[in-house]
Amino acid sequence: DTAVSQTPKYLVTQMGNDKSIKCEQNLGHDTMYWYKQDSKKFLKIMFSYNNKELIINETVPNRFSPKSPDKAHLNLHINSLELGDSAVYFCASSQRGVGRATGELFFGEGSRLTVL
Amino acid sequence: AQSVTQLGSHVSVSEGALVLLRCNYSSSVPPYLFWYVQYPNQGLQLLLKYTTGATLVKGINGFEAEFKKSETSFHLTKPSAHMSDAAEYFCAVTPSSGNYQLIWGAGTKLIIKP
């Protein structure tokens, strides 16, 4: 059983289109994340939800909208796609501990978005 | 602001040679420290972590790292490289305050020469 699964694995689309990526975790974790990894492998956190509540909302264009229907799911919708949105998007989950014990993240395999 | 620096975007070693990947951090208090590995076309997975206690920590696949407070370093080592170790390696820390989200290094690509 895959612990953190995201779909689709690949998206190829035209500029201006809208797309969604779905993520599910079966680890019983209470915190989920979206990360963006660019072509140079740099990781940037975009959003984080804890028990369906948005707790991190980094400087991301408002064309990106996360939604967490329950603590096992976190989806990402992107409107009006731009060339610069091309990247690999990773979903991750963790169990939020007390204080700093939140560093152990479990990642999905990524969704590679290509905007033409 | 806290930061993580990984020295060398690419490190190349011969199969069987020592692997050393460097990570330095800036933090006013000892952070929690992590190494993650990303194999080609996969997500990241935790290799090892330091929170408290013994400063030499062992991880999966024969890797280990030593926390050196005086040097603000957490270098990753493996005595003998294997072809399967070829991957991207990320060092990360949790900050001493705030929302405790990970601060990531830029990554180091480990290349293994046959």
Side-chain angles (χ1 to χ4, degrees):
Chain A
D1 251 359
T2 304
V4 181
S5 58
Q6 11 181 154
T7 54
K9 194 164 183 178
Y10 299 97
L11 307 94
V12 180
T13 189
Q14 301 287 331
M15 271 197 315
N17 285 349
D18 304 339
K19 286 293 178 188
S20 292
I21 308 171
K22 295 187 175 183
C23 178
E24 176 182 4
Q25 55 95 2
N26 62 7
L27 297 167
H29 289 162
D30 60 5
T31 305
M32 296 184 73
Y33 312 79
W34 279 113
Y35 277 88
K36 179 180 180 181
Q37 186 175 50
D38 63 22
S39 58
K40 294 184 178 177
K41 302 292 188 181
F42 185 74
L43 276 167
K44 177 185 162 148
I45 189 164
M46 301 173 70
F47 304 103
S48 179
Y49 274 77
N50 174 254
N51 283 321
K52 302 194 298 175
E53 180 187 348
L54 183 65
I55 58 171
I56 292 178
N57 186 1
E58 291 294 309
T59 308
V60 173
N62 58 16
R63 298 181 293 104
F64 290 79
S65 51
K67 273 208 176 99
S68 182
D70 56 60
K71 70 176 190 177
H73 295 84
L74 179 61
N75 304 323
L76 182 66
H77 187 75
I78 316 170
N79 290 325
S80 304
L81 279 157
E82 300 178 357
L83 293 176
D85 298 332
S86 295
V88 181
Y89 293 84
F90 285 101
C91 176
S93 74
S94 71
Q95 185 62 29
R96 196 178 192 193
V98 175
R100 294 184 283 162
T102 58
E104 185 163 359
L105 272 60
F106 292 77
F107 283 80
E109 293 203 337
S111 297
R112 182 176 294 274
L113 171 65
T114 303
V115 182
L116 303 174
Chain B
Q2 289 165 320
S3 64
V4 177
T5 302
Q6 291 184 238
L7 189 62
S9 59
H10 293 75
V11 169
S12 181
V13 303
S14 297
E15 193 174 16
L18 171 73
V19 174
L20 170 61
L21 303 182
R22 299 178 190 272
C23 174
N24 288 87
Y25 66 90
S26 66
S27 175
S28 55
V29 297
Y32 289 2
L33 297 145
F34 306 83
W35 276 100
Y36 279 80
V37 60
Q38 183 180 23
Y39 298 105
N41 298 312
Q42 293 187 26
L44 285 76
Q45 65 181 92
L46 183 67
L47 202 53
L48 48 78
K49 66 179 179 183
Y50 169 80
T51 54
T52 57
T55 56
L56 181 64
V57 292
K58 295 187 186 299
I60 60 172
N61 302 336
F63 283 92
E64 59 184 37
E66 187 170 11
F67 168 55
K68 291 188 176 179
K69 184 179 173 183
S70 60
E71 298 177 8
T72 60
S73 68
F74 191 55
H75 301 331
L76 182 71
T77 60
K78 181 174 180 177
S80 177
H82 192 271
M83 295 300 290
S84 61
D85 295 326
E88 192 87 23
Y89 291 80
F90 294 90
C91 182
V93 307
T94 49
S96 54
S97 62
N99 58 30
Y100 303 127
Q101 294 304 319
L102 285 172
I103 298 171
W104 294 89
T108 297
K109 183 171 184 174
L110 179 61
I111 300 161
I112 311 295
K113 297 179 290 187

